[in-house]
């Protein structure tokens, strides 16, 4: 995989405030082309807010987002439209349209944003479904599919436009460990198959470390770590190790409780 | 005190402007939307076919009760022959457009506010935007266009059924000659009455459906927070405000047209 | 639901609605004069109070037309009513137009009483032999104050036959 020196997506000092609460206070991030990057962080650390700011669902208060060398700003509609065409988002709840069949869901972005003929749209949508092993369910409604199939259907809808960048918002939220593995396997597999760049926002550390090329840790509104998975595992930084070694911390806390010591409860 | 008046006025102006922009954007962006006709047909099914039974039932009973009440009042003056005039003018000028619009708000408007609210909560609207699809054109415009077609049709059906209901109570229950009733109806209703009726129907359709869509679409702005509460709050607001708007707009149109 | 069935139902609904609109506009809204040819006549009244555009025009109690508009003649301040009458009906030139009321408080209408001339009124002609509205209020007023017997001229004034 050829990787150019310039990152596909570059975020510089992004700020986002909700009333008095500053959720993002100067977030910077680089996503190299063709890589799978995970943004880790505690629940409520602002991971989803970051992703929504990047996707354009929320608008950031300050900061510069550069996509493929072009700065995305509020006023530049052409750059935004170009970004939308080349970027897809997979939402936490899949955001599938329940009144449309699987095939219609996948065809929707092509139908509404391209000038392809009906036949081309149908062919490409069926191809996307086939690649995600959903071709047997093309006439089913999302409600009739299992959770994993819905996730794959959402991914099919995301990749049908052949995006260069796919943003994943908590793809494993609320899944058991086996399904978490399956989802990360799916992301890694198709990321290599379709050569897209992936940015995954998650709080599942072990899975993310194994699957990702690079990880970043969002804490207190800023990125307190960026590097490869190996660097993350080896880091001695206090915040990183606390997050990484949460199981060990749990063990320590539990043994303290068993000994009858008072354990300060952290905010969640 | 003065400050709060000022603040509320500003909020009101801001909301009205936002609402107008929302409606205009839906029509403006609908121009380039593919397969719009198909979505309009689906919306027409929701607002038209699905709501027809309630329109028919309410229409019949409105006519029946008007016939009954009107007959007893007119009987005192010995002018039962004017029953057709009373029933037809009441229904065509006022009750038809207003009651049909209220029924449509109750059935189709609430459903559409809840559906859009739910789509907002499950990020379907955000998903459309990230795909580069205008959610105004995809979700709102078909409903508005359908309303412009469906409301006048439903109102006309309501009026015809209502006048028939009036004739049933007048002729079958109270023994008025059916010819007397219908000739009074034909003499009373003028072209400008029908025009007024249709003007009201189109206006109510546009206002109520745009309002319901606006409320559902912005369910996430609700002060009730997010989730099911926000959807229920926005649906309630959509129905209540639409009903008020129907009656207020009725007064305004009547005072301008008559 | 299948798209085809959906379209069928929507189509049925639209046809039903259109039929209802058609009924309202054609059968009721335009009265019974649509289609039938008609011509216009004018009539000059001293007083046309209570008469509106849309009031019906009768001959021998049968509706044959309607009042289209009413205006004031700036020359002599009389009321000019324009009405349409079925074209099959040829009225003699000495026909008389009077404003009548159906019942005590009912609608006003114009009643045309055909004359005896052999020549007929042409479209756009003006009927000058007319009988104005009876002002019921002043009639009642005069009855209450005993003015009817004493001053017959003034009663006549409010409902007099104006001749050319």
């Amino acid at each position: 995989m050829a990787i150019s020196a310039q990152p596909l997506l570059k975020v510089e000092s992004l700020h986002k405030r909700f009333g008095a609460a500053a959720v993002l206070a100067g977030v910077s991030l680089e996503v190299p082309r063709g890589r799978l990057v995970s943004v880790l962080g505690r629940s409520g650390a602002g991971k989803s807010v970051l992703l929504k700011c990047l996707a354009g669902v929320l608008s950031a208060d300050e900061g510069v987002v550069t996509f493929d060398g072009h700065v995305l700003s509020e006023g530049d509609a052409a750059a935004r439209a170009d970004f939308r065409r080349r970027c897809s988002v997979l939402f936490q709840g899949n955001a599938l349209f329940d009144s449309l069949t699987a095939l219609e869901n996948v065809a929707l972005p092509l139908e509404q944003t391209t000038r392809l003929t009906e036949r081309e749209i149908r062919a490409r949508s069926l191809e996307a479904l086939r690649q995600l092993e959903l071709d047997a369910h093309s006439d089913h409604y999302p409600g009739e599919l299992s959770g994993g199939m819905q996730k794959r259907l959402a991914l099919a809808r995301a990749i049908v436009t052949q995006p260069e960048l796919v943003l994943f918002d908590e793809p494993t939220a609320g899944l058991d460990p086996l399904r978490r593995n399956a989802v990360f396997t799916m992301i890694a597999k198709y990321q290599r198959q379709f050569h897209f760049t992936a940015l995954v926002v998650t709080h599942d550390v072990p899975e993310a470390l194994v699957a990702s090329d690079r990880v970043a840790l969002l804490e207190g509104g800023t990125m307190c770590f960026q590097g490869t998975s190996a660097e993350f595992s080896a880091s001695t930084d206090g915040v990183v190790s606390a997050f990484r070694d949460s199981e060990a911390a749990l063990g320590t806390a539990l043994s303290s409780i068993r000994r009858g010591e008072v354990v300060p409860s952290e905010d969640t | 005190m003065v400050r709060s008046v000022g603040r509320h006025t500003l909020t009101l102006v801001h909301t009205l402007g936002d609402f107008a922009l929302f409606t205009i954007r839906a029509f403006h962006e609908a121009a380039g939307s593919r397969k719009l006709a198909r979505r309009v047909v689906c919306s027409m099914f929701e607002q038209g076919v699905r709501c027809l039974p309630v329109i028919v039932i309410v229409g019949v009973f409105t006519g029946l009760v008007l016939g009954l009440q009107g007959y007893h009042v007119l009987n005192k003056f010995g002018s039962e022959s004017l029953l057709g005039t009373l029933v037809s003018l009441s229904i065509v000028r006022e009750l038809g457009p207003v009651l049909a619009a209220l029924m449509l708000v109750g059935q189709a408007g609430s459903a559409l506010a809840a559906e859009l609210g739910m789509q907002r909560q499950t990020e379907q609207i955000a998903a459309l935007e990230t795909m580069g699809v205008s959610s105004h054109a995809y979700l709102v415009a078909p409903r508005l266009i359908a309303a412009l077609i469906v409301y006048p049709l439903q109102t006309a059906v309501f009026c015809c059924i209502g006048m028939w209901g009036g004739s049933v109570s007048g002729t079958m229950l109270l023994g008025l000659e059916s010819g007397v009733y219908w000739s009074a109806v034909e003499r009373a209703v003028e072209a400008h009455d029908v025009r007024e009726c249709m003007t009201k129907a189109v206006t109510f359709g546009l206002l109520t459906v745009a309002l319901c869509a606006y409320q559902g679409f912005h369910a996430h702005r609700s002060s009730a927070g997010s989730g099911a509460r926000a959807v229920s709050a926005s649906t309630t607001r959509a129905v209540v405000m639409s009903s008020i708007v129907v009656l207020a707009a009725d007064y305004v149109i009547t005072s301008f047209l008559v | 639901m299948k798209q085809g069935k959906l379209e069928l139902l929507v189509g049925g609904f639209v046809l039903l609605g259109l039929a209802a609109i058609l009924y309202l506009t054609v059968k009721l809204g335009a009265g019974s004069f649509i289609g039938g040819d008609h011509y216009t006549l004018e009539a000059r009244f001293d007083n046309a109070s209570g008469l509106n555009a849309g009031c019906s025009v009768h001959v021998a109690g049968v509706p044959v037309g309607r009042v289209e508009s009413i205006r004031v003649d700036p020359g002599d301040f009389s009321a000019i009513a324009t009405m349409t009458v079925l074209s099959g009906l040829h009225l003699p030139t000495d026909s008389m137009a009077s404003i009548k009321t159906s019942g005590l408080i009912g609608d006003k209408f114009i009643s045309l009483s055909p004359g005896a001339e052999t020549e007929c009124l042409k479209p756009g002609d003006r009927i000058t032999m007319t009988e104005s509205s009876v002002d019921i209020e002043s009639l009642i007023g005069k009855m209450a104050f005993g003015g009817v017997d004493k001053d017959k001229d003034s009663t006549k004034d409010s409902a007099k036959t104006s001749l050319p």
Side-chain angles (χ1 to χ4, degrees):
Chain A
M1 226 179 297
I3 298 158
S4 65
Q6 189 188 42
L8 183 64
L9 185 74
K10 192 173 173 193
V11 183
E12 286 162 289
S13 63
L14 204 68
H15 288 259
K16 178 72 188 173
R17 250 170 248 100
F18 289 107
V23 178
L24 302 179
V27 171
S28 297
L29 175 70
E30 286 193 7
V31 181
R33 199 181 287 271
R35 293 299 172 91
L36 199 165
V37 177
S38 291
V39 174
L40 300 169
R42 295 190 298 174
S43 303
K47 303 187 300 290
S48 284
V49 173
L50 169 65
L51 192 110
K52 281 174 184 158
C53 286
L54 294 180
V57 177
L58 293 173
S59 55
D61 300 328
E62 263 177 68
V64 184
V65 179
T66 317
F67 177 73
D68 200 17
H70 296 282
V71 176
L72 303 177
S73 60
E74 282 294 306
D76 195 349
R80 280 235 153 254
D82 180 61
F83 174 70
R84 287 207 159 142
R85 201 164 47 247
R86 293 162 65 184
C87 169
S88 288
V89 185
L90 207 78
F91 285 88
Q92 191 172 342
N94 300 330
L96 294 164
F97 288 91
D98 37 22
S99 58
L100 302 179
T101 63
L103 181 65
E104 287 168 338
N105 261 293
V106 176
L108 176 68
L110 293 177
E111 176 194 298
Q112 293 295 323
T113 60
T114 66
R115 290 275 151 229
L116 297 173
T117 63
E118 294 248 347
R119 273 177 63 188
E120 285 171 307
I121 290 174
R122 194 180 156 79
R124 274 179 66 173
S125 310
L126 282 174
E127 175 63 14
L129 284 176
R130 196 186 57 71
Q131 282 167 329
L132 286 153
E133 295 144 51
L134 283 167
D135 36 354
H137 304 285
S138 63
D139 287 332
H140 288 166
Y141 288 93
E144 300 166 347
L145 301 177
S146 71
M149 285 185 196
Q150 286 184 14
K151 197 56 94 186
R152 269 188 282 152
L153 179 57
L155 184 59
R157 188 175 68 178
I159 61 161
V160 76
T161 49
Q162 296 168 350
E164 291 164 52
L165 175 68
V166 181
L167 308 176
F168 294 86
D169 186 9
E170 305 263 13
T172 55
L175 297 182
D176 61 61
L178 287 177
R179 297 233 174 143
R180 285 210 294 271
N181 278 343
V183 168
F184 269 103
T185 312
M186 172 185 94
I187 294 172
K189 176 182 164 194
Y190 293 115
Q191 189 246 335
R192 275 160 190 74
Q193 187 177 338
F194 298 113
H195 309 295
F196 58 76
T197 307
L199 178 65
V200 184
V201 156
T202 181
H203 51 235
D204 295 315
V205 182
E207 289 87 352
L209 282 183
V210 175
S212 318
D213 300 307
R214 289 177 70 83
V215 291
L217 181 64
L218 185 65
E219 177 68 42
T222 55
M223 284 298 175
C224 60
F225 175 86
Q226 276 192 66
T228 61
S229 301
E231 284 166 4
F232 187 84
S233 306
S235 173
T236 52
D237 183 272
V239 183
V240 173
S241 54
F243 197 74
R244 182 186 59 204
D245 307 325
S246 58
E247 280 169 51
L250 175 66
T252 321
L254 284 177
S255 50
S256 320
I257 290 168
R258 288 196 194 102
R259 283 199 305 273
E261 289 169 17
V262 178
V263 178
S265 53
E266 281 181 55
D267 77 305
T268 46
Chain B
M1 167 66 188
V2 177
R3 251 169 93 183
S4 108
V5 169
R7 193 174 56 238
H8 282 103
T9 312
L10 281 179
T11 316
L12 181 70
V13 170
H14 178 261
T15 313
L16 284 178
D18 196 42
F19 174 63
L21 278 179
F22 173 83
T23 313
I24 293 166
R25 230 182 116 182
F27 281 114
H28 180 71
E29 289 176 5
S33 184
R34 277 173 97 178
K35 291 216 177 160
L36 181 67
R38 204 175 139 160
R39 280 174 282 134
V40 171
V41 169
C42 287
S43 299
M44 282 177 71
F45 178 78
E46 295 293 334
Q47 296 173 13
V49 180
R50 282 260 169 89
C51 296
L52 193 58
V54 71
I55 291 287
V56 169
I57 293 167
V58 174
V60 168
F61 280 105
T62 306
L64 281 173
V65 93
L66 265 182
L68 221 54
Q69 293 280 16
Y71 185 87
H72 289 306
V73 173
L74 292 172
N75 203 10
K76 289 185 184 159
F77 301 103
S79 20
E80 299 92 335
S81 60
L82 288 176
L83 185 67
T85 316
L86 177 91
V87 172
S88 62
L89 286 188
S90 314
I91 286 182
V92 171
R93 283 189 187 161
E94 291 296 334
L95 294 176
V98 169
L99 286 181
L102 289 179
M103 289 303 122
L104 288 170
V105 165
Q107 179 153 0
S110 60
L112 115 80
E115 189 178 349
L116 282 179
M118 211 52 219
Q119 289 186 318
R120 171 64 77 185
Q121 296 301 336
T122 55
E123 296 182 313
Q124 291 178 36
I125 291 175
L128 277 177
E129 294 294 337
T130 60
M131 284 177 205
V133 180
S134 158
S135 47
H136 289 78
Y138 191 78
L139 296 172
V140 181
R143 280 146 170 151
L144 285 175
I145 295 170
L148 290 180
I149 305 167
V150 167
Y151 272 63
L153 298 180
Q154 295 279 37
T155 304
V157 170
F158 186 100
C159 290
C160 292
I161 299 271
M163 287 187 282
W164 177 77
S167 87
V168 167
S169 63
T171 60
M172 290 188 182
L173 306 178
L174 302 166
L176 191 71
E177 280 301 319
S178 121
V180 173
Y181 178 86
W182 286 110
S183 70
V185 168
E186 280 176 31
R187 254 186 295 121
V189 180
E190 299 283 344
H192 70 85
D193 295 322
V194 180
R195 225 166 18 240
E196 185 186 334
C197 174
M198 291 296 123
T199 311
K200 283 181 177 177
V202 171
T203 316
F204 295 164
L206 186 66
L207 281 176
T208 57
V209 172
L211 196 57
C212 289
Y214 181 80
Q215 293 295 347
F217 197 83
H218 296 122
H220 61 304
R221 288 189 195 162
S222 160
S223 53
S226 58
R229 292 256 330 224
V231 174
S232 83
S234 64
T235 308
T236 308
R237 212 165 36 236
V239 172
V240 171
M241 285 173 70
S242 299
S243 309
I244 294 171
V245 159
V246 164
L247 295 170
D250 183 51
Y251 178 78
V252 173
I253 297 175
T254 307
S255 57
F256 273 112
L257 283 186
V258 179
Chain C
M1 192 175 304
K2 280 294 239 208
Q3 186 70 16
K5 194 182 165 201
L6 194 101
E7 280 166 5
L8 189 74
L9 285 170
V10 170
F13 165 74
V14 170
L15 287 180
L16 177 73
L18 282 179
I21 289 188
L22 213 66
Y23 174 76
L24 284 182
T25 49
V26 174
K27 186 82 166 73
L28 302 185
S32 44
F33 299 107
I34 200 142
D37 279 344
H38 50 258
Y39 65 101
T40 55
L41 286 178
E42 285 185 347
R44 205 186 130 271
F45 296 100
D46 284 351
N47 181 0
S49 75
L51 196 68
N52 295 315
C55 288
S56 57
V57 177
H58 291 206
V59 170
V62 180
V64 294
R66 54 191 278 163
V67 176
E68 288 299 314
S69 65
I70 298 171
R71 62 177 203 279
V72 172
D73 185 342
D76 58 357
F77 304 109
S78 60
I80 309 288
T82 312
M83 55 196 157
T84 56
V85 178
L86 284 177
S87 55
L89 206 64
H90 302 292
L91 294 162
T93 48
D94 60 344
S95 298
M96 193 171 87
S98 27
I99 299 178
K100 297 263 171 80
T101 311
S102 61
L104 188 61
I105 51 167
D107 278 347
K108 301 270 182 187
F109 62 93
I110 294 181
S111 171
L112 297 175
S113 323
E117 291 279 340
T118 45
E119 258 184 77
C120 288
L121 286 164
K122 292 183 290 297
D125 277 359
R126 181 176 295 181
I127 301 173
T128 43
M129 206 157 62
T130 60
E131 205 171 27
S132 293
S133 315
V134 177
D135 191 348
I136 291 182
E137 265 179 56
S138 63
L139 261 184
I140 292 173
K142 277 172 187 137
M143 242 157 28
F145 299 111
V148 182
D149 292 331
K150 279 182 224 159
D151 194 359
K152 282 210 165 164
D153 285 348
S154 70
T155 318
K156 257 184 153 179
D157 195 43
S158 68
K160 76 176 178 191
T161 306
S162 60
L163 293 164

